[in-house]
Every structure is written in C-alpha cells, then in structure tokens.
Amino acid sequence: VHVSPGTDSVSVTFGSATAATSLKYHDATSYQTINEGTPELKIKSAATDATFVDTTVTLVKDTHYSFYVYGGASSVSVVQLSDEAVGAASGKFRLRFSHTATGLGSMDVYLLSAGSTVASSTPVYSGLAYATTSALSDYSSGDFTRRSSDGDAR
C-alpha cells in the first residue's frame, strides 16, 4: 500500500520477485506469492529508479503480510504487518491501527457509536505515535465511525 505523499509511483521487489511495477500514491496491490525466507525488499521510484528503501525482511511460509510505504519524498519508509490473526469471539471484531500519516504527531483514535462525539468518548488508542502500529484488540460488534485526532480535539 503506497501512502507516501510527494513520492513518485514506486516499484516493489522482494529479491528477484516483482510485486509492483508502478504503484501510485494511495494504491495497493493484491496479495502476491513470494517465497519464504529473508529477501531484500527494495522500494524504488518507477520514474527515476532511485532507491527509497533497501532492507531485508523475514517472510514465513503460509503467512500473509501487508507492507505500507509511508513517509515523504525525502524520508520514505516501509512497515511490514502480519495479516494472520486469530478470529475474534462471537459478537466481536478485531482491529489495529497503523499510524502512517506523514506530518502528524501522536494521535488518539476513537470508535464512535451513533450520537457520540470525540469530546464525550474515550480513545480506543491513545497517543499512538507516528510510525507505530497498535496491537490487535477486540471490540463489540456494531456500527462505528472512526475518528482520529492529535489529542487536542477534546
């Protein structure tokens, strides 16, 4: 998933396996089949071939991952998230948040039921720092609106 503002379309490779050739800002790919192991992950500009990220990742057999390209044109990073989660109990759902919003400090995250406001609610994640991901948490099923704030919204 490409969420790095001001960054060209990117190509993504894991060793010799190409996962994307011209992934645009706010676009995502479907899951790709990549061999298990510790391949070199490269994120490059599709326009100039400049390397934004060059790192080694660990991929476990039969595990699904999401990779988020975030940051900005001069400081592109990538976060790897395992998408393997045990299902929630009946009447519950599991949720996590990854803060990749470039230029924003720590955030509070709210799940608001109908009629509730940020001012009258407690955040489900408080002070979530930039470039961090929360743990998976279980919540009662229902209709919610997700709101995020920099902590000054109350």
Side-chain angles (χ1 to χ4, degrees):
V1 179
H2 181 347
V3 292
S4 181
T7 305
D8 298 335
S9 293
V10 296
S11 64
V12 180
T13 58
F14 293 87
S16 61
T18 300
T21 55
S22 190
L23 188 63
K24 296 176 185 167
Y25 179 57
H26 280 174
D27 280 356
T29 69
S30 58
Y31 283 112
Q32 307 288 314
T33 301
I34 307 293
N35 291 333
E36 65 185 287
T38 53
E40 179 181 26
L41 168 61
K42 284 191 177 184
I43 312 289
K44 292 180 152 192
S45 166
T48 67
D49 205 37
T51 300
F52 296 127
V53 174
D54 187 350
T55 191
T56 301
V57 296
T58 300
L59 303 176
V60 177
K61 184 177 182 172
D62 298 324
T63 302
H64 294 90
Y65 300 96
S66 292
F67 290 84
Y68 289 80
V69 179
Y70 68 96
S74 63
S75 61
V76 177
S77 298
V78 66
V79 62
Q80 174 183 352
L81 302 177
S82 172
D83 293 340
E84 302 304 316
V86 175
S90 178
K92 302 275 187 177
F93 67 95
R94 302 198 96 190
L95 188 64
R96 70 175 168 208
F97 289 92
S98 187
H99 181 353
T100 57
T102 303
L104 298 181
S106 294
M107 296 176 62
D108 293 339
V109 179
Y110 298 83
L111 291 179
L112 303 176
S113 56
S116 64
T117 65
V118 168
S120 65
S121 301
T122 301
V124 293
Y125 299 105
S126 183
L128 188 62
Y130 177 68
T132 62
T133 299
S134 70
L136 282 164
S137 297
D138 292 350
Y139 299 95
S140 295
S141 296
D143 293 327
F144 298 96
T145 300
R146 188 220 23 101
R147 293 280 185 252
S148 302
S149 78
D150 64 2
D152 294 329
R154 297 183 132 213

